[in-house]
Amino acid sequence: MAKASKSQQLVRSDRRMFAASDDNAMMKQILSTHAPDGRLVDVKPILLIIDNVLRHITPEIDQALTAGSGHIDSFDGPTNLSAIDDVLDALAYIVHKISCEISCKCAGGGDAHATTMVILNMLSSYSWDAKVVLTLAAFAVNFGEFWLIVQLCTTNTLAKSVALLKQLPDVLEHSETLKPHFDALNKLIKAMIDVTKCIVEFIELPCEYISSEVPPLSTAMASIPTAAYWTIRSVVACAAQITSLVGLRQEFVTSTSEAWELSSLAHKVSSIHEHLRNLLRLCYQRIEEKKQEETYKEFIRIIETPQGDISKILRVIFRKEDPHPLFSPADKTRVDIDVLRRKHVLLLISDLDISLDEIQVLEVLYKYERASSSELSYEIVWLPIVDRSAWNDSYQQKFLNLQSIMPWYTANHPSVIEPAVIKYTKEKWRFVKKPIVVTLDPLGKVTCTNALNMMWIWGNAAFPFSTDKEESLWKSESWTIELLVDGLEPNLPNWMREEKVICFYGGEKMEWIESFTSATKKAAQTLEIGLEMVYVGKNNAKERVKKISGLITQKQLSHSWQDSNVWFFWNRLESMLYSKTQHGKTNDPDIIKQEVMTILGYDGSEHGWAIFFLGTTEMVRANGERVLSSMQSFEAWEEMARQMGFIPALRKHLEGITDDHHCTRLILPGISGGIAERVVCAECGRPMEMYFMYRCCVE
């Protein structure tokens, strides 16, 4: 029993050490043992062997204490044993020396701290990771030999004789007494291995991406000596626990304080591991940021330098690890970007909230291009921009649903897009929420950072969707009914041939709509002129407009458009404004821009509005209150209408109405391009004030 009490002293000495923190004096003592001579030790293969030894022992201890199994699994460690053998050949002596030192000191009941310092001095010329790995290797040898004898003594004569000489206890016989100790031992061994792996990871971090002179790596490097000390100290404690079993074959008496000491030490080492893991996580984050920064700079260089081949640009958009980053809807397979070689490519950039309306309009243009002449040769590639940290099964299903309805190429998965590209789309191409289309010519040159505006305005007539093409198209445009409606009303050509007055109106108050349509029809009947009225709804009010359109049709008040046409009408108007703003290089008045802003301003108000056309260009428009009052007081300007015509007379009548009190609002969604800082009111011509509005509108 005397031998057991001596070895227990080694474990109990930790209690005093736990009471004191790792203060400066102790740190100086630890660091004083460190005098590396620059030798390099490949510790990873040794750590693999250690992990294999201890990983086999700890589950088998539990199994032996509960089921009494003596089975040994076959070796499943590293397969390149010859290479590992070469590494260990040069280190066998020092491992044996440490093993003997631990056994000797533990058997004699030495002080745990003193034994730890002896080992550190013995390993003074080695790096911190090598110190810990070599000490752990010595422990694995001792513990492995001990457990082999205990495990085989019931079936192997040699093992039984050795166990008898060492007077090792029967593990099964003392299972109830031993289990708390081995449970504590297992936890401490796991914590030791975890800390050792962390230390090795820190040493192997790529110095080209992170510096050991600045946090977080400098903080970690300052923590490693303490971590190494307590890991080696834990090895000594574990060895003392095992040594205490030698010579106790006939009788086993133990104290619960031993298990408590091991558990306390395991808690401390686990805390060190958690601290190191947090620092390691910060280091990897810093490394990833540095890599992304370099990748971002490289992408800027490539995207802004003529490459002569579009495939060179496309290859840097996707991760190099994925050789087939695109999904082909035609073949339902993954394909290489070579399918896009020598073609104009439109990068459709959006999040997963891209609307079905947008997809359907693009689909019409895309399929029309394929059914028409081969001169229009472009491909669309969808790049879904998502928050990968929040990715889940719901987002995955949403992505797959969108991918399934798109007839063009898509990224096989959002994760194949380089993070640097995502950053570039937001910082340079100014993607925020609304989808954008970035166009690349066959040589890889970016010809427009958002061609979606011109696609909405002119469709495939804007091909090749370059900024120059957009500018030339505007030069040939004027404010006409055709530009406003663009084929959304199929009856328009017939109405124009019949020289009818055509009225487009909007709003969401049914009472105003009924009053306005009734008064306008009455005025037209009085003048005996042809009149057609079309309800174009209201922007961003799909369900309300749908309900109103149903009532208008039911009551036969006027024509009304389908949901998709209403959506496209308003999105196209917004596109005109954005496009005009981007190309507005002069201070000359822009009639088209002003008229578009006026209609959008009308839509932003609480009242309705109306615009009348006769022929292509003869036009008059007004907000809901003014146009309704004008129609209801038609008798006052009826004679003028008979003399001048309906539209000139209405315009003159509106000019005579003074409106001192009005509130005009121009509401635009968040966009990728800039909006002119100076916007004038459509009613009075005064500059409008700018406000920011945040809206969540769920119908």
Side-chain angles (χ1 to χ4, degrees), residues 337-397:
I337 59 175
D338 283 337
V339 297
L340 302 174
R341 190 184 294 273
R342 292 189 292 274
K343 291 186 178 181
H344 291 268
V345 174
L346 278 56
L347 301 177
L348 172 59
I349 300 170
S350 78
D351 58 17
L352 298 184
D353 291 325
I354 183 173
S355 71
L356 293 178
D357 291 315
E358 288 166 314
I359 294 174
Q360 288 168 357
V361 173
L362 272 176
E363 183 178 4
V364 170
L365 297 177
Y366 182 73
K367 289 184 175 180
Y368 177 81
E369 177 262 335
R370 266 139 189 73
S372 60
S373 67
S374 59
E375 293 179 3
L376 296 176
S377 178
Y378 66 82
E379 292 289 350
I380 299 177
V381 176
W382 180 42
L383 301 182
I385 307 300
V386 300
D387 179 4
R388 296 177 188 175
S389 64
W391 191 259
N392 55 34
D393 292 341
S394 175
Y395 287 132
Q396 174 70 11
Q397 191 57 51

Side-chain angles (χ1 to χ4, degrees), residues 85-305:
D85 188 59
D86 292 339
V87 174
L88 289 172
D89 184 54
L91 299 168
Y93 174 73
I94 190 67
V95 171
H96 178 69
K97 190 176 178 182
I98 299 168
S99 177
C100 292
E101 182 68 29
I102 293 173
S103 299
C104 180
K105 288 293 193 295
C106 291
D111 178 73
H113 172 66
T115 304
T116 303
M117 296 307 297
V118 168
I119 295 171
L120 285 172
N121 278 298
M122 195 182 298
L123 296 168
S124 62
S125 58
Y126 292 87
S127 59
W128 288 110
D129 59 327
K131 294 180 202 289
V132 179
V133 171
L134 292 174
T135 305
L136 211 55
F139 170 71
V141 170
N142 288 352
F143 194 22
E145 289 176 350
F146 166 81
W147 187 249
L148 279 174
I149 295 170
V150 170
Q151 193 181 48
L152 295 174
C153 67
T154 58
T155 58
N156 185 283
T157 304
L158 177 60
K160 186 175 183 179
S161 299
V162 174
L164 189 62
L165 290 171
K166 284 180 172 285
Q167 287 292 287
L168 295 178
D170 189 324
V171 172
L172 293 178
E173 185 180 339
H174 299 287
S175 60
E176 289 187 12
T177 309
L178 288 172
K179 193 172 190 315
H181 294 266
F182 277 115
D183 284 345
L185 192 67
N186 289 350
K187 289 179 181 177
L188 182 52
I189 289 172
K190 182 182 182 303
M192 286 155 44
I193 293 175
D194 288 341
V195 169
T196 303
K197 288 180 178 178
C198 264
I199 293 173
V200 172
E201 276 194 79
F202 278 117
I203 302 301
E204 294 189 339
L205 290 176
C207 59
E208 65 268 26
Y209 292 115
I210 191 166
S211 171
S212 61
E213 303 298 322
V214 295
L217 186 53
S218 63
T219 308
M221 299 306 286
S223 303
I224 285 177
T226 302
Y229 169 85
W230 282 107
T231 304
I232 296 173
R233 177 75 170 268
S234 299
V235 168
V236 175
C238 289
Q241 175 70 17
I242 297 166
T243 303
S244 69
L245 300 176
V246 177
L248 300 179
R249 185 172 181 83
Q250 300 303 322
E251 184 179 358
F252 186 79
V253 179
T254 185
S255 169
T256 56
S257 64
E258 291 182 56
W260 182 89
E261 297 289 357
L262 289 177
S263 296
S264 299
L265 196 54
H267 176 74
K268 182 175 186 66
V269 177
S270 295
S271 298
I272 292 172
H273 173 247
E274 185 179 355
H275 173 65
L276 292 179
R277 285 307 306 177
N278 288 334
L279 288 173
L280 197 57
R281 197 175 298 113
L282 291 174
C283 286
Y284 281 127
Q285 183 179 328
R286 184 66 55 84
I287 290 170
E288 184 62 25
E289 288 172 357
K290 186 69 175 178
K291 287 182 177 179
Q292 288 187 18
E293 185 181 325
E294 288 188 2
T295 306
Y296 182 64
K297 290 179 180 178
E298 179 64 11
F299 182 74
I300 291 176
R301 185 191 67 79
I302 293 174
I303 198 74
E304 296 180 0
T305 305

Side-chain angles (χ1 to χ4, degrees), residues 590-599 621 680-682:
D590 191 320
I591 301 301
I592 296 176
K593 180 179 176 181
Q594 187 59 46
E595 292 299 329
V596 168
M597 290 176 65
T598 298
I599 296 175
R621 36 83 179 156
V680 298
C681 175

Side-chain angles (χ1 to χ4, degrees), residues 56-67:
H56 276 74
I57 293 175
T58 49
E60 287 174 2
I61 291 176
D62 292 334
Q63 197 174 26
L65 293 175
T66 55

